[in-house]
Amino acid sequence: MLTLLPTARPPLAYRVPWRVNRTDIAHPRVANRSFEPAAGVRVFVHDDGSPPGGEHWGLVMPGDVHELCLCDRDLGSAIVSVAWFRLGDDEEYLWRFCI
């Protein structure tokens, strides 16, 4: 006899909380546009002309905005990686953007 297994709904997709304002490409502004804090936030910048660099932002609350200074970077090859944790979650998230 066949037994129906309970169907679990897949988890809802987690929307990336970051928005980037590139009005000044040498100083992009990264904002947490979600309704929840991001914990242990770290930012890494890679480009073809300089050694990798990084910043530790720690806890970023909803609505907080951080500005990156990329003045000494090759903006044509710069890639910014943002790593963070959701509160109460052990999974690390990573999101990258280009200038």
Side-chain angles (χ1 to χ4, degrees), residues 6 8-9 12 23-24 28 42 45 55 60 64 74 80 82 93 98:
R9 297 185 117 187
L12 295 175
T23 302
D24 179 354
R42 296 169 329 278
V45 181
E55 295 181 17
V60 178
D64 283 357
D74 174 9
V80 179
V82 183
Y93 295 85
C98 299

Side-chain angles (χ1 to χ4, degrees), residues 15-75:
R15 182 179 294 213
V16 172
W18 311 110
R19 288 258 171 96
V20 180
N21 179 331
R22 295 179 179 88
T23 302
D24 179 354
I25 61 170
H27 296 97
R29 296 169 48 92
V30 181
N32 180 353
R33 300 310 253 166
S34 72
F35 295 107
E36 62 183 58
V41 180
R42 296 169 329 278
V43 177
F44 307 96
V45 181
H46 308 271
D47 70 347
D48 290 339
S50 306
E55 295 181 17
H56 186 265
W57 292 349
L59 184 66
V60 178
M61 300 301 289
D64 283 357
V65 179
H66 289 267
E67 183 176 287
L68 291 169
C69 181
L70 304 178
C71 293
D72 297 332
R73 298 292 182 164
D74 174 9
L75 298 178

